[in-house]
Amino acid sequence: MTAVAKPARQTPLKVDPATDKLISQGAHFLGLTKKDLVAEAVRVYLEQRREDLRVGMVEALSVLDGSLKSDVMLLTGLTAEEIDAVGGIDE
């Protein structure tokens, strides 16, 4: 028996009025929907920042060592010393 994956739910993207105006105008003059313009813009932006993304992922993975403390450090942004200062973590 295989589980059927539920399709991802679409959620609204909230932007400030000035950005919404830019998106609306850009989409209109490019003959795109606002949704398509934003999707393409995000793809292009992330492609341009690919190296920055890679560096961020490598940094995040270097923190993880399989311990609960490393998970907490990554999720909270706290250092090991800060976690120890508030009582530490029972592994």
Side-chain angles (χ1 to χ4, degrees), residues 53-90:
L53 286 170
R54 189 194 67 75
V55 168
M57 287 187 284
V58 168
E59 285 177 7
L61 289 174
S62 70
V63 172
L64 296 174
D65 62 7
S67 69
L68 180 58
K69 183 183 274 188
S70 68
D71 291 347
V72 172
M73 289 169 56
L74 183 62
L75 291 171
T76 64
L78 296 172
T79 65
E81 293 77 22
E82 290 169 327
I83 291 170
D84 291 340
V86 294
I89 295 174
D90 293 331

Side-chain angles (χ1 to χ4, degrees), residues 6 9 16 28 32-33 35 39 42 53 55 67-68 74 90:
K6 292 182 182 179
R9 194 181 99 210
D16 62 87
H28 173 76
L32 300 170
T33 65
K35 177 181 169 181
V42 169
L53 286 170
V55 168
S67 69
L68 180 58
L74 183 62
D90 293 331

Side-chain angles (χ1 to χ4, degrees), residues 3-77:
V4 177
K6 292 182 182 179
R9 194 181 99 210
Q10 290 188 353
T11 57
L13 177 64
K14 296 182 181 187
V15 296
D16 62 87
T19 301
D20 184 59
K21 186 175 181 180
L22 287 173
I23 293 168
S24 295
Q25 290 173 345
H28 173 76
F29 291 113
L30 291 172
L32 300 170
T33 65
K34 289 169 63 172
K35 177 181 169 181
D36 289 342
L37 175 63
V38 170
E40 185 173 339
V42 169
R43 278 191 297 277
V44 169
Y45 181 79
L46 292 177
E47 180 62 35
Q48 290 175 349
R49 304 284 308 267
R50 181 180 297 266
E51 181 59 20
D52 296 332
L53 286 170
R54 189 194 67 75
V55 168
M57 287 187 284
V58 168
E59 285 177 7
L61 289 174
S62 70
V63 172
L64 296 174
D65 62 7
S67 69
L68 180 58
K69 183 183 274 188
S70 68
D71 291 347
V72 172
M73 289 169 56
L74 183 62
L75 291 171
T76 64

